Every structure is written in C-alpha cells, then in structure tokens.
Amino acid sequence: MCVGEPHRLASVEGIAGRTEDGTLIDLSLTPEARAGDWVLCFLGAAREVITADAAAQIADALAALRAVMAGGEVGAAFADLDRPPSLPPHLQAALDAGQSHG
C-alpha cells in the first residue's frame, strides 16, 4: 500500500512539476495542474488536483499517524470524520442478508 501526500506546485514545465519543497514530480496524470495548485502524489506522481482544504486535512491526518507511531496522541487530526465508519452499499446489503463471508 502506498500513501498519498499533498504537495503544492511551485512550477510546471511540461509533464514535470516542482513542489514548494523542491520535490520533482510527474504530472502526466494531471495535465490540468498549474503552479499554485495542490496535488495528491503517490510514489513521485501526482494523481489528482485537490483543494487547499483537502490538502490540509490529509496533512493533518498524516501528522496524526506519525504522532501515533511515535507514541503520541491523535488529537483532532481526524475531526472531519464526524460519522461512524460505514460499509460500501454492496457489503452492507450482503451483511443485511445474513452473509458473513464471501
């Protein structure tokens, strides 16, 4: 499993982008990305242009994971999850029908 990290683009040249921290990323999957945009990157490639709010939420969640891994607390990093976890509709239907395994 890989984890996406938000990055803000400082510059774009063709299918390459340079982030504000100097990281060079592949933009071939996000041709609409422009300097100043936030992108969600996986393994050196931007997969999606995201909002500044989404970038902040993701950054907070990643910081909370790092804190927990270091023995700290999660705090309010997942405040946007204001509901209990839910199953996708097809799995909920199977559970409601009494199926407990595939």
Side-chain angles (χ1 to χ4, degrees), residues 60-81:
D60 288 348
L62 291 174
L65 289 174
R66 287 184 196 99
V68 167
M69 291 173 66
E73 296 293 322
V74 171
F78 297 99
D80 59 309
L81 299 178

Side-chain angles (χ1 to χ4, degrees), residues 5-94:
E5 294 184 328
H7 289 278
R8 191 166 187 193
L9 294 171
S11 64
V12 173
E13 188 172 325
I15 61 167
R18 180 83 54 190
T19 66
E20 289 182 339
D21 68 1
T23 304
L24 185 63
I25 58 173
D26 177 358
L27 298 175
S28 59
L29 297 175
T30 55
E32 72 278 15
R34 302 288 177 256
D37 285 348
W38 284 93
V39 291
L40 189 57
C41 299
F42 296 82
L43 300 172
R47 302 280 174 95
E48 179 181 357
V49 176
I50 60 176
T51 66
D53 287 340
Q57 286 179 338
I58 294 165
D60 288 348
L62 291 174
L65 289 174
R66 287 184 196 99
V68 167
M69 291 173 66
E73 296 293 322
V74 171
F78 297 99
D80 59 309
L81 299 178
D82 58 355
R83 59 172 175 71
S86 61
L87 292 172
H90 69 285
L91 293 178
Q92 186 62 54

